[in-house]
Amino acid sequence: MTSLTQAPGTTPDTTPVTPPRTDQAVRGNRLARFTPYGLIGPALVAFAAVLGYPIVRLIWLSLQDFGPRSLFTGEAPFVGLDNFTRVLGDSDFWFTLLRTLIVSVACVSSLMVIGFLLASLLMQVSAWARVMLSVCLVLVWAMPMVSATMIWRWLFEPQYGVLNWVITQLKVFGDFSAHDWFSSPSQALFLIIALIVWKGLPFVALTLYAAMGQIPGDLYEAAALDGAGRWNVARHVTMPILAPVLAVLVLLEVIWSVNSFTPIWVLTQGGPDGGTTTLGVYSYLEAFTRNDYSGGAAIAIITVLLLAVLSVLYVRRLFAQDEVIA
């Protein structure tokens, strides 16, 4: 029989007694551990079915010598990394990569600056003006890319384009009644960049506007009491708070700009003389114009790898900055 008295000079044992684990508790813990996997399982299966097989098939195609004859014979010998070596050794690929980089930088920088200005404007205007501007942005966003590109091409059409008629009527830059904007690579590339920016601007502006609406007004009042101007308020109050949203927008817009195909193909088909060809168009031309399907697949894989590496490095840098701030 255990004694109820404690010996002098000793410390009483206060260790909590753990009740024995029942089978029901073990099953409950096991179920809780596997519940997250069960929740994301259907999404992973759908993702693998929709994107997994095409990506695997594209990788396998890039490792073969798949040409027009293979369409009839079904035979495509395995060549390993020969397609990648050939693509990387082609000077046209590097010029196209540089052009893609220029287009992406121009599009993303313009989208961020103009989108921030539009979001700031939405915060300042009256309610009815905010509604009208938001409706216009949503209508631009909802318009299909093919329809928007056709309208864009009609606006700059050499003979009957509205812009040529307006410039001619202004009588400032001379006669533009028959000016062909798509005959010059630089002018055509400028129009493509303007179209991509115009089409992607609603997403950036409305996202930044929603983020700005979550900034506490007390911060702006404190900045005003300290005598800070608009530039200092934007620099020291708005931008630091919007930094995570801006980071996500920059990453998304880089991916979308690099992968832009419809506006370039409908407007110029990569011309004139390849002056507007980006990686997406270059891959399509290589596969379906030159009938080098393996080369086109290799270009597509290289594009995916470049975007994946850029995304990983960008996200790691963001996490590193957050750790330094913390």
Side-chain angles (χ1 to χ4, degrees):
M1 184 175 181
T2 305
S3 177
L4 297 179
T5 62
Q6 182 70 32
T10 61
T11 304
D13 186 8
T14 58
T15 303
V17 178
T18 303
R21 300 182 64 183
T22 62
D23 294 339
Q24 184 178 2
V26 173
R27 287 196 299 269
N29 293 335
R30 187 176 301 170
L31 179 63
R33 186 165 57 251
F34 288 102
T35 296
Y37 299 99
L39 294 175
I40 66 174
L44 292 177
V45 172
F47 180 81
V50 175
L51 295 179
Y53 173 76
I55 292 178
V56 172
R57 185 70 181 90
L58 187 66
I59 295 174
W60 178 245
L61 181 62
S62 66
L63 301 176
Q64 295 177 307
D65 183 11
F66 198 99
R69 176 179 294 182
S70 302
L71 295 175
F72 299 97
T73 64
E75 298 178 357
F78 181 80
V79 296
L81 300 177
D82 289 352
N83 292 316
F84 294 93
T85 303
R86 177 167 50 85
V87 168
L88 294 176
D90 189 358
S91 60
D92 289 340
F93 170 79
W94 295 104
F95 283 117
T96 303
L97 178 61
L98 177 61
R99 190 180 301 112
T100 304
L101 178 62
I102 293 174
V103 171
S104 300
V105 171
C107 290
V108 174
S109 58
S110 300
L111 280 168
M112 293 301 109
V113 173
I114 302 176
F116 180 81
L117 294 177
L118 275 178
S120 301
L121 180 63
L122 286 171
M123 295 292 297
Q124 300 294 330
V125 297
S126 59
W128 70 269
R130 185 182 304 114
V131 171
M132 293 299 297
L133 185 56
S134 300
V135 169
C136 293
L137 291 173
V138 171
L139 290 177
V140 173
W141 193 9
M143 183 180 298
M145 178 58 82
V146 175
S147 302
T149 307
M150 295 302 296
I151 294 174
W152 205 260
R153 185 172 183 83
W154 174 74
L155 289 174
F156 294 93
E157 205 276 333
Q159 296 295 331
Y160 309 102
V162 175
L163 185 65
N164 286 354
W165 179 83
V166 171
I167 295 178
T168 303
Q169 294 300 315
L170 291 176
K171 298 179 181 180
V172 176
F173 301 100
D175 186 8
F176 270 68
S177 57
H179 181 73
D180 188 359
W181 295 87
F182 303 101
S183 62
S184 170
S186 58
Q187 294 181 9
L189 200 62
F190 173 78
L191 295 183
I192 290 172
I193 294 173
L195 173 58
I196 295 174
V197 171
W198 175 73
K199 195 68 176 65
L201 192 58
F203 175 74
V204 176
L206 293 177
T207 302
L208 290 178
Y209 168 67
M212 287 181 180
Q214 304 302 316
I215 300 177
D218 297 341
L219 298 178
Y220 292 111
E221 294 179 1
L225 292 176
D226 290 338
R230 290 189 176 182
W231 167 250
N232 288 324
V233 170
R235 180 182 177 184
H236 298 288
V237 178
T238 305
M239 296 301 295
I241 299 178
L242 293 181
V245 179
L246 287 171
V248 174
L249 287 176
V250 168
L251 182 59
L252 291 177
E253 292 300 335
V254 167
I255 295 174
W256 292 340
S257 299
V258 172
N259 292 328
S260 293
F261 175 82
T262 303
I264 302 174
W265 186 254
V266 175
L267 282 179
T268 63
Q269 296 186 356
D273 298 328
T276 59
T277 300
T278 57
L279 285 177
V281 178
Y282 186 52
S283 175
Y284 181 86
L285 291 174
E286 193 73 17
F288 298 103
T289 301
R290 303 181 181 93
N291 295 326
D292 184 6
Y293 306 105
S294 299
I299 297 171
I301 293 298
I302 292 174
T303 304
V304 172
L305 291 177
L306 288 175
L307 288 176
V309 171
L310 176 63
S311 301
V312 170
L313 294 177
Y314 187 72
V315 172
R316 289 185 61 183
R317 182 179 178 183
L318 291 179
F319 279 117
Q321 290 178 350
D322 291 340
E323 292 177 357
V324 171
I325 294 176

